Amino acid sequence: MTMRTRTLGTTGPQVSALGLGCMGMSGMYGEADRAESIATLHAALDAGVTLLDTGDFYGMGHNELLIAEALRSAPAGLRDNALLSVKFGALRDPDGGWSGYDGRPAAVKNFAAYSLQRLGVDHIDVYRPARLDPDVPIEETVGAIAELVEKGWVRHIGLSEVGADTIRRAAATAPICDLQIEYALISRGPEREILPTLRELGIAVTAYGVLSRGLISGHVTAGRQFAANDFRAHSPRFQGDNFQHNLTLVESLRKVAEQKGVTVAQTAIAWVLSRGEDVVPLVGARTRERLGEALGALDVTLDADDLAAIERAVPADAAAGERYASEQMAQLDSER
């Protein structure tokens, strides 16, 4: 297959139309298989996926080291095509707990230095704060990344999970290529104010959670038990009556998918792809099998009738439960 491309905003790089979100390869959804993770990264690069997304706090550095290993062992031509998007700022403790965010300029440069070393690269393609630090003006955080751009350590500046006002302030400080935010059939909050703001400013979207952490993949069934170290064990959308309600939405979507002769996951990913050429879905595939299914979404064309059928099956705001637990929702500038 020939991978289609999209551009991250008016100032950013050209990337594959689908990116690979690597978080799940470092334990956020239970145990992951290291060898299969590396094989999946290689398969993604071989298929023309160029955008690899990570965070320095995924597995407390584990994810960056994993990507570095995969890049070292990939054929040179594929390795050179990889574009790395890195989030920073989330603070962890040795027990794996979370203790806030740090967007101070000195911290930004410190985080970048460690990421460059772990990834084994001389620059980061897109560098972004994972969340807004409420104690540090976004102008200071973005200004520090801009200094890294001037020195060649970073190529482009991105944002993550921030609202329209913060986006405007950041864009007035330095060129912003994209906003990373959860955007899916059952996570459509960005459509209200954030997407119009981004389009006004020429900023793209890298959409994560396009399968809502597997919830709308068609592979999760009622009665599924999640390990204590799996994010979904604590996610409101996977709890009790919320879980049952959300699975009924998936079954409605399955009927649409079956009529098209594709999978539920491919339908959900294709819907995100249909939102515009300025939207790049990140698929969190941890295995070659799931990656192959996700790539199949690139061959799915949704016409007006298909989109209307999907809307009837999964209306906006139809999901039960917030996308994060209440403490985490309170940290999202994008939800204010």
Side-chain angles (χ1 to χ4, degrees), residues 123-182:
H123 71 273
I124 295 166
D125 295 286
V126 186
Y127 202 47
R128 71 185 80 242
R131 298 288 186 269
L132 178 68
D133 181 342
D135 298 322
V136 179
I138 190 63
E139 292 85 352
E140 293 185 15
T141 302
V142 167
I145 307 175
E147 291 181 21
L148 293 172
V149 172
E150 290 175 4
K151 294 184 177 181
W153 299 115
V154 169
R155 293 283 170 83
H156 305 281
I157 305 172
L159 300 170
S160 177
E161 287 288 359
V162 293
D165 178 63
T166 302
I167 293 166
R168 290 185 185 282
R169 290 169 53 196
T173 303
I176 305 296
C177 70
D178 73 317
L179 170 73
Q180 189 171 119
I181 195 165
E182 187 167 355

Side-chain angles (χ1 to χ4, degrees), residues 276-292:
E277 289 294 314
D278 56 351
V279 179
V280 177
L282 299 172
V283 295
R286 298 196 293 171
T287 66
R288 284 166 287 181
E289 179 183 6
R290 292 288 180 256
L291 173 67

Side-chain angles (χ1 to χ4, degrees), residues 17-333:
L18 281 182
L20 182 63
C22 303
M23 181 182 75
M25 298 177 180
S26 293
M28 297 296 287
Y29 299 120
E31 297 303 317
D33 184 312
R34 187 179 190 87
E36 180 61 25
S37 295
I38 291 174
T40 301
L41 281 158
H42 286 169
L45 292 169
D46 189 53
V49 174
T50 60
L51 182 62
L52 305 180
D53 183 78
T54 185
D56 63 10
F57 48 91
Y58 292 166
M60 286 77 83
H62 175 277
N63 205 240
E64 290 181 320
L65 292 169
L66 182 77
I67 290 172
E69 182 178 345
L71 292 179
R72 281 197 305 271
S73 54
L78 299 180
R79 180 174 64 245
D80 295 341
N81 291 336
L83 295 171
L84 301 179
S85 166
V86 180
K87 291 180 292 298
F88 68 87
L91 303 177
R92 307 291 302 271
D93 61 39
D95 294 324
W98 304 82
S99 51
Y101 299 93
D102 193 343
R104 294 172 301 140
V108 172
K109 295 168 185 177
N110 178 78
F111 292 137
Y114 280 73
S115 284
L116 289 163
Q117 179 68 25
R118 283 189 294 261
L119 289 164
V121 296
D122 61 9
H123 71 273
I124 295 166
D125 295 286
V126 186
Y127 202 47
R128 71 185 80 242
R131 298 288 186 269
L132 178 68
D133 181 342
D135 298 322
V136 179
I138 190 63
E139 292 85 352
E140 293 185 15
T141 302
V142 167
I145 307 175
E147 291 181 21
L148 293 172
V149 172
E150 290 175 4
K151 294 184 177 181
W153 299 115
V154 169
R155 293 283 170 83
H156 305 281
I157 305 172
L159 300 170
S160 177
E161 287 288 359
V162 293
D165 178 63
T166 302
I167 293 166
R168 290 185 185 282
R169 290 169 53 196
T173 303
I176 305 296
C177 70
D178 73 317
L179 170 73
Q180 189 171 119
I181 195 165
E182 187 167 355
Y183 187 33
L185 263 171
I186 63 171
S187 299
R188 294 173 63 175
E191 293 177 343
R192 290 188 287 271
E193 185 180 9
I194 291 173
L195 269 176
T197 301
L198 294 173
R199 285 170 172 159
E200 175 192 335
L201 297 172
I203 298 171
V205 175
T206 42
Y208 76 89
V210 294
L211 295 179
S212 301
R213 306 177 191 279
L215 182 57
I216 58 173
S217 68
H219 301 301
V220 174
T221 57
R224 170 81 175 269
Q225 298 296 311
F226 300 101
N229 64 345
D230 189 320
F231 172 90
R232 294 168 292 188
H234 315 284
S235 169
R237 290 185 172 173
F238 288 84
Q239 309 304 312
D241 291 343
N242 288 349
F243 191 27
Q244 298 306 314
H245 169 82
N246 293 331
L247 288 178
T248 64
L249 298 176
V250 176
E251 291 312 305
S252 296
L253 185 61
R254 192 185 303 277
K255 294 176 183 176
V256 179
E258 288 175 348
Q259 289 179 348
K260 295 246 347 143
V262 299
T263 70
V264 177
Q266 287 168 343
T267 305
I269 296 168
W271 181 88
V272 179
L273 282 164
S274 77
R275 298 301 86 191
E277 289 294 314
D278 56 351
V279 179
V280 177
L282 299 172
V283 295
R286 298 196 293 171
T287 66
R288 284 166 287 181
E289 179 183 6
R290 292 288 180 256
L291 173 67
E293 180 183 23
L295 290 171
L298 292 166
D299 296 324
V300 178
T301 300
L302 300 176
D303 61 23
D305 289 340
D306 296 325
L307 292 170
I310 291 170
E311 188 71 25
R312 289 192 297 271
V314 187
D317 301 319
E322 300 284 4
R323 55 196 182 98
Y324 288 98
S326 57
E327 320 83 75
Q328 294 169 301
M329 286 294 289
Q331 297 171 345
L332 296 177
D333 183 66

